[in-house]
Amino acid sequence: YWLHTNMLLLNSKKMSKSDGNTVSPPELFSGKSEHLSKGYSPMVVRFFMLQTHYRSTLDLTDEALQAAEKGFRRLMETYKVLKGLEAAPKAQAGELDSEINKLIDLTHEEMSDDFNTPRALSRLFELASKINGLKGGQLSIKEVSADTIQRLKQTFNDFIFDIFGLLEEADGGEDGLTDGLVQV
């Protein structure tokens, strides 16, 4: 799918070659730009862009990219935790089970609302808090049914990889793919 997006800004200013206010994709990935403190992986850049609705102005700043990098890592680490999460024997669907299913439903609703990726991502982060709470024991795994755990795994997999097109860093690192994507 191709969507027309709103304007891309760099440090709150319109990008302009004459003002020296531009960053090319290779510079973004390598960090070889006076506007960046370092290079960012293609997956971090994608995650950064998903955090803004396609019809909204996107302001590219080093600080925003750093925050996106942290968010991306948190989401991927939560996905790894979720893959290892198993339902408790004889788990009974409780209030927590209902909360998780409601958040899953809301994630789908947000995406169905004009491709609202920022809100869908925020729902995934709400689910991430639940997942990490289950792992850490702050939330009881006995309140979450096996069906809900499976639905949670499927939702994270579908959204992260199929809908948002993100890859784990090991899969999205320097493998020559970005050269082919950037070349015209």
Side-chain angles (χ1 to χ4, degrees):
Y1 294 93
W2 288 93
L3 300 172
H4 185 273
T5 62
N6 205 326
M7 188 173 298
L8 176 62
L9 304 176
L10 179 63
N11 297 318
S12 302
K13 295 180 182 174
K14 181 180 174 186
M15 283 198 186
S16 167
K17 274 188 175 181
S18 61
D19 293 336
N21 193 34
T22 62
V23 174
S24 69
E27 291 170 332
L28 193 57
F29 302 142
S30 70
K32 294 178 183 173
S33 168
E34 65 185 75
H35 304 288
L36 301 172
S37 63
K38 65 178 193 163
Y40 296 93
S41 76
M43 291 301 108
V44 168
V45 173
R46 181 181 291 241
F47 183 84
F48 166 73
M49 291 179 174
L50 289 168
Q51 292 178 305
T52 302
H53 192 274
Y54 74 92
R55 287 187 287 123
S56 299
T57 302
L58 179 63
D59 190 9
L60 185 75
T61 67
D62 200 43
E63 295 80 18
L65 285 163
Q66 289 172 10
E69 186 172 51
K70 287 178 187 173
F72 173 73
R73 284 191 180 135
R74 179 174 177 233
L75 189 66
M76 297 311 284
E77 286 171 14
T78 299
Y79 176 71
K80 288 176 185 172
V81 167
L82 178 59
K83 286 193 309 188
L85 199 62
E86 297 297 329
K90 300 180 184 177
Q92 296 291 322
E95 185 177 323
L96 181 58
D97 191 90
S98 296
E99 289 175 25
I100 290 171
N101 277 300
K102 178 66 176 167
L103 285 170
I104 290 170
D105 292 341
L106 288 171
T107 305
H108 288 275
E109 287 175 27
E110 304 295 9
M111 200 59 197
S112 295
D113 180 18
D114 194 25
F115 299 106
N116 200 332
T117 58
R119 290 184 64 187
L121 270 173
S122 74
R123 299 299 183 181
L124 287 180
F125 278 107
E126 287 180 63
L127 287 165
S129 293
K130 303 282 187 206
I131 292 163
N132 290 320
L134 289 168
K135 176 194 176 221
Q138 296 88 359
L139 299 174
S140 175
I141 193 76
K142 293 179 182 178
E143 289 186 40
V144 184
S145 71
D147 288 344
T148 297
I149 296 288
Q150 186 54 42
R151 185 172 184 232
L152 191 53
K153 288 178 180 183
Q154 188 66 51
T155 299
F156 259 68
N157 188 72
D158 290 350
F159 272 85
I160 292 172
F161 302 112
D162 298 336
I163 296 171
F164 295 146
L166 297 170
L167 300 171
E168 294 185 56
E169 283 291 286
D171 296 335
E174 284 300 317
D175 57 7
L177 288 177
T178 53
D179 291 338
L181 294 172
V182 174
Q183 300 303 321
V184 180

